[in-house]
PDB file of all heavy atoms in Angstrom:
ATOM      1  N   PHE A 754     -10.511   8.928   8.398  1.00  0.00           N
ATOM      2  CA  PHE A 754     -11.613   9.603   7.856  1.00  0.00           C
ATOM      3  C   PHE A 754     -11.148  10.846   6.947  1.00  0.00           C
ATOM      4  O   PHE A 754     -11.761  10.937   5.780  1.00  0.00           O
ATOM      5  CB  PHE A 754     -12.533  10.382   8.998  1.00  0.00           C
ATOM      6  CG  PHE A 754     -13.667  11.198   8.594  1.00  0.00           C
ATOM      7  CD1 PHE A 754     -14.715  10.772   7.823  1.00  0.00           C
ATOM      8  CD2 PHE A 754     -13.384  12.697   8.654  1.00  0.00           C
ATOM      9  CE1 PHE A 754     -15.708  11.539   7.388  1.00  0.00           C
ATOM     10  CE2 PHE A 754     -14.487  13.404   8.169  1.00  0.00           C
ATOM     11  CZ  PHE A 754     -15.720  13.012   7.606  1.00  0.00           C
ATOM     12  N   LEU A 755     -10.317  11.561   7.350  1.00  0.00           N
ATOM     13  CA  LEU A 755      -9.934  12.908   6.686  1.00  0.00           C
ATOM     14  C   LEU A 755      -9.288  12.607   5.346  1.00  0.00           C
ATOM     15  O   LEU A 755      -9.512  13.283   4.277  1.00  0.00           O
ATOM     16  CB  LEU A 755      -9.303  13.906   7.466  1.00  0.00           C
ATOM     17  CG  LEU A 755     -10.210  14.522   8.524  1.00  0.00           C
ATOM     18  CD1 LEU A 755      -9.309  15.334   9.534  1.00  0.00           C
ATOM     19  CD2 LEU A 755     -11.359  15.307   7.913  1.00  0.00           C
ATOM     20  N   PHE A 758     -11.596  11.126   2.804  1.00  0.00           N
ATOM     21  CA  PHE A 758     -12.549  12.390   2.472  1.00  0.00           C
ATOM     22  C   PHE A 758     -11.840  13.337   1.491  1.00  0.00           C
ATOM     23  O   PHE A 758     -12.444  13.677   0.379  1.00  0.00           O
ATOM     24  CB  PHE A 758     -13.130  13.054   3.693  1.00  0.00           C
ATOM     25  CG  PHE A 758     -14.084  14.088   3.396  1.00  0.00           C
ATOM     26  CD1 PHE A 758     -15.504  13.720   3.406  1.00  0.00           C
ATOM     27  CD2 PHE A 758     -13.760  15.320   3.175  1.00  0.00           C
ATOM     28  CE1 PHE A 758     -16.459  14.646   3.041  1.00  0.00           C
ATOM     29  CE2 PHE A 758     -14.726  16.367   2.952  1.00  0.00           C
ATOM     30  CZ  PHE A 758     -16.132  15.933   2.868  1.00  0.00           C
ATOM     31  N   LYS A 762     -12.412  14.264  -2.716  1.00  0.00           N
ATOM     32  CA  LYS A 762     -12.675  15.714  -3.217  1.00  0.00           C
ATOM     33  C   LYS A 762     -11.508  16.351  -4.000  1.00  0.00           C
ATOM     34  O   LYS A 762     -11.710  17.397  -4.595  1.00  0.00           O
ATOM     35  CB  LYS A 762     -13.075  16.523  -1.994  1.00  0.00           C
ATOM     36  CG  LYS A 762     -14.186  15.989  -1.174  1.00  0.00           C
ATOM     37  CD  LYS A 762     -15.450  15.932  -1.884  1.00  0.00           C
ATOM     38  CE  LYS A 762     -16.594  15.341  -0.953  1.00  0.00           C
ATOM     39  NZ  LYS A 762     -17.772  15.129  -1.623  1.00  0.00           N
ATOM     40  N   GLY A 773     -17.391  24.247  -1.909  1.00  0.00           N
ATOM     41  CA  GLY A 773     -18.732  24.535  -1.759  1.00  0.00           C
ATOM     42  C   GLY A 773     -19.182  24.357  -0.427  1.00  0.00           C
ATOM     43  O   GLY A 773     -18.449  23.620   0.379  1.00  0.00           O
ATOM     44  N   PRO A 774     -20.315  24.856   0.085  1.00  0.00           N
ATOM     45  CA  PRO A 774     -20.774  24.839   1.369  1.00  0.00           C
ATOM     46  C   PRO A 774     -20.861  23.330   1.950  1.00  0.00           C
ATOM     47  O   PRO A 774     -20.727  23.096   3.053  1.00  0.00           O
ATOM     48  CB  PRO A 774     -22.055  25.552   1.378  1.00  0.00           C
ATOM     49  CG  PRO A 774     -22.079  26.467   0.166  1.00  0.00           C
ATOM     50  CD  PRO A 774     -21.107  25.701  -0.846  1.00  0.00           C
ATOM     51  N   SER A 775     -21.356  22.494   0.965  1.00  0.00           N
ATOM     52  CA  SER A 775     -21.576  21.095   1.518  1.00  0.00           C
ATOM     53  C   SER A 775     -20.261  20.417   1.850  1.00  0.00           C
ATOM     54  O   SER A 775     -20.230  19.540   2.844  1.00  0.00           O
ATOM     55  CB  SER A 775     -22.336  20.202   0.335  1.00  0.00           C
ATOM     56  OG  SER A 775     -21.624  20.157  -0.663  1.00  0.00           O
ATOM     57  N   PHE A 776     -19.101  20.687   1.149  1.00  0.00           N
ATOM     58  CA  PHE A 776     -17.749  20.210   1.538  1.00  0.00           C
ATOM     59  C   PHE A 776     -17.445  20.745   2.930  1.00  0.00           C
ATOM     60  O   PHE A 776     -17.037  19.827   3.697  1.00  0.00           O
ATOM     61  CB  PHE A 776     -16.931  20.661   0.463  1.00  0.00           C
ATOM     62  CG  PHE A 776     -15.439  20.357   0.684  1.00  0.00           C
ATOM     63  CD1 PHE A 776     -14.991  19.008   0.354  1.00  0.00           C
ATOM     64  CD2 PHE A 776     -14.546  21.234   1.220  1.00  0.00           C
ATOM     65  CE1 PHE A 776     -13.792  18.541   0.462  1.00  0.00           C
ATOM     66  CE2 PHE A 776     -13.197  20.758   1.356  1.00  0.00           C
ATOM     67  CZ  PHE A 776     -12.757  19.488   1.136  1.00  0.00           C
ATOM     68  N   TRP A 777     -17.586  21.937   3.301  1.00  0.00           N
ATOM     69  CA  TRP A 777     -17.168  22.388   4.525  1.00  0.00           C
ATOM     70  C   TRP A 777     -18.086  22.026   5.617  1.00  0.00           C
ATOM     71  O   TRP A 777     -17.663  21.686   6.715  1.00  0.00           O
ATOM     72  CB  TRP A 777     -17.034  23.967   4.399  1.00  0.00           C
ATOM     73  CG  TRP A 777     -16.087  24.314   3.391  1.00  0.00           C
ATOM     74  CD1 TRP A 777     -16.305  24.925   2.160  1.00  0.00           C
ATOM     75  CD2 TRP A 777     -14.650  24.013   3.280  1.00  0.00           C
ATOM     76  NE1 TRP A 777     -15.177  25.027   1.404  1.00  0.00           N
ATOM     77  CE2 TRP A 777     -14.212  24.431   1.962  1.00  0.00           C
ATOM     78  CE3 TRP A 777     -13.788  23.271   4.195  1.00  0.00           C
ATOM     79  CZ2 TRP A 777     -12.899  24.317   1.641  1.00  0.00           C
ATOM     80  CZ3 TRP A 777     -12.501  23.232   3.614  1.00  0.00           C
ATOM     81  CH2 TRP A 777     -12.030  23.765   2.368  1.00  0.00           C
ATOM     82  N   ARG A 778     -19.370  21.802   5.298  1.00  0.00           N
ATOM     83  CA  ARG A 778     -20.313  21.322   6.427  1.00  0.00           C
ATOM     84  C   ARG A 778     -19.916  19.920   6.715  1.00  0.00           C
ATOM     85  O   ARG A 778     -20.029  19.607   7.878  1.00  0.00           O
ATOM     86  CB  ARG A 778     -21.636  21.436   5.827  1.00  0.00           C
ATOM     87  CG  ARG A 778     -22.462  22.646   6.305  1.00  0.00           C
ATOM     88  CD  ARG A 778     -23.989  22.522   6.154  1.00  0.00           C
ATOM     89  NE  ARG A 778     -24.274  22.189   4.730  1.00  0.00           N
ATOM     90  CZ  ARG A 778     -24.542  23.111   3.720  1.00  0.00           C
ATOM     91  NH1 ARG A 778     -24.200  24.362   3.822  1.00  0.00           N
ATOM     92  NH2 ARG A 778     -24.909  22.622   2.594  1.00  0.00           N
ATOM     93  N   ALA A 779     -19.565  19.145   5.773  1.00  0.00           N
ATOM     94  CA  ALA A 779     -19.124  17.740   6.083  1.00  0.00           C
ATOM     95  C   ALA A 779     -17.975  17.651   6.844  1.00  0.00           C
ATOM     96  O   ALA A 779     -17.807  16.820   7.821  1.00  0.00           O
ATOM     97  CB  ALA A 779     -19.096  16.988   4.647  1.00  0.00           C
ATOM     98  N   LEU A 780     -16.982  18.579   6.627  1.00  0.00           N
ATOM     99  CA  LEU A 780     -15.715  18.594   7.384  1.00  0.00           C
ATOM    100  C   LEU A 780     -16.053  19.097   8.787  1.00  0.00           C
ATOM    101  O   LEU A 780     -15.320  18.706   9.790  1.00  0.00           O
ATOM    102  CB  LEU A 780     -14.740  19.427   6.757  1.00  0.00           C
ATOM    103  CG  LEU A 780     -14.081  18.793   5.494  1.00  0.00           C
ATOM    104  CD1 LEU A 780     -13.151  19.832   4.786  1.00  0.00           C
ATOM    105  CD2 LEU A 780     -13.395  17.542   5.806  1.00  0.00           C
ATOM    106  N   SER A 781     -16.912  19.930   8.996  1.00  0.00           N
ATOM    107  CA  SER A 781     -17.213  20.526  10.286  1.00  0.00           C
ATOM    108  C   SER A 781     -18.324  19.661  11.037  1.00  0.00           C
ATOM    109  O   SER A 781     -18.682  20.183  12.188  1.00  0.00           O
ATOM    110  CB  SER A 781     -17.768  21.904  10.154  1.00  0.00           C
ATOM    111  OG  SER A 781     -16.802  22.826   9.396  1.00  0.00           O
ATOM    112  N   ALA A 782     -18.674  18.580  10.682  1.00  0.00           N
ATOM    113  CA  ALA A 782     -19.693  17.714  11.212  1.00  0.00           C
ATOM    114  C   ALA A 782     -19.294  17.389  12.800  1.00  0.00           C
ATOM    115  O   ALA A 782     -20.139  17.135  13.481  1.00  0.00           O
ATOM    116  CB  ALA A 782     -20.071  16.584  10.484  1.00  0.00           C
ATOM    117  N   PHE A 783     -18.022  17.168  12.960  1.00  0.00           N
ATOM    118  CA  PHE A 783     -17.620  16.703  14.211  1.00  0.00           C
ATOM    119  C   PHE A 783     -17.176  17.985  15.110  1.00  0.00           C
ATOM    120  O   PHE A 783     -16.327  18.645  14.732  1.00  0.00           O
ATOM    121  CB  PHE A 783     -16.399  15.898  14.197  1.00  0.00           C
ATOM    122  CG  PHE A 783     -16.660  14.552  13.426  1.00  0.00           C
ATOM    123  CD1 PHE A 783     -16.370  14.517  12.059  1.00  0.00           C
ATOM    124  CD2 PHE A 783     -17.100  13.417  13.952  1.00  0.00           C
ATOM    125  CE1 PHE A 783     -16.658  13.473  11.297  1.00  0.00           C
ATOM    126  CE2 PHE A 783     -17.410  12.303  13.159  1.00  0.00           C
ATOM    127  CZ  PHE A 783     -17.262  12.304  11.849  1.00  0.00           C
ATOM    128  N   HIS A 788     -11.224  16.265  16.268  1.00  0.00           N
ATOM    129  CA  HIS A 788     -11.541  16.478  14.912  1.00  0.00           C
ATOM    130  C   HIS A 788     -11.096  17.814  14.570  1.00  0.00           C
ATOM    131  O   HIS A 788     -10.422  18.016  13.454  1.00  0.00           O
ATOM    132  CB  HIS A 788     -13.000  16.395  14.669  1.00  0.00           C
ATOM    133  CG  HIS A 788     -13.379  16.546  13.202  1.00  0.00           C
ATOM    134  ND1 HIS A 788     -13.125  15.537  12.266  1.00  0.00           N
ATOM    135  CD2 HIS A 788     -13.864  17.557  12.429  1.00  0.00           C
ATOM    136  CE1 HIS A 788     -13.390  15.880  11.163  1.00  0.00           C
ATOM    137  NE2 HIS A 788     -13.868  17.089  11.242  1.00  0.00           N
ATOM    138  N   LEU A 792      -8.475  18.307  11.733  1.00  0.00           N
ATOM    139  CA  LEU A 792      -8.833  19.115  10.532  1.00  0.00           C
ATOM    140  C   LEU A 792      -7.923  20.252  10.244  1.00  0.00           C
ATOM    141  O   LEU A 792      -7.616  20.545   9.076  1.00  0.00           O
ATOM    142  CB  LEU A 792     -10.324  19.608  10.733  1.00  0.00           C
ATOM    143  CG  LEU A 792     -10.930  20.361   9.523  1.00  0.00           C
ATOM    144  CD1 LEU A 792     -10.831  19.634   8.269  1.00  0.00           C
ATOM    145  CD2 LEU A 792     -12.340  20.868   9.928  1.00  0.00           C
TER     146      LEU A 792
END
Side-chain angles (χ1 to χ4, degrees):
F754 174 71
L755 291 172
F758 185 86
K762 307 294 183 193
S775 63
F776 178 79
W777 303 112
R778 269 195 303 277
L780 287 175
S781 302
F783 300 92
H788 186 75
L792 182 57

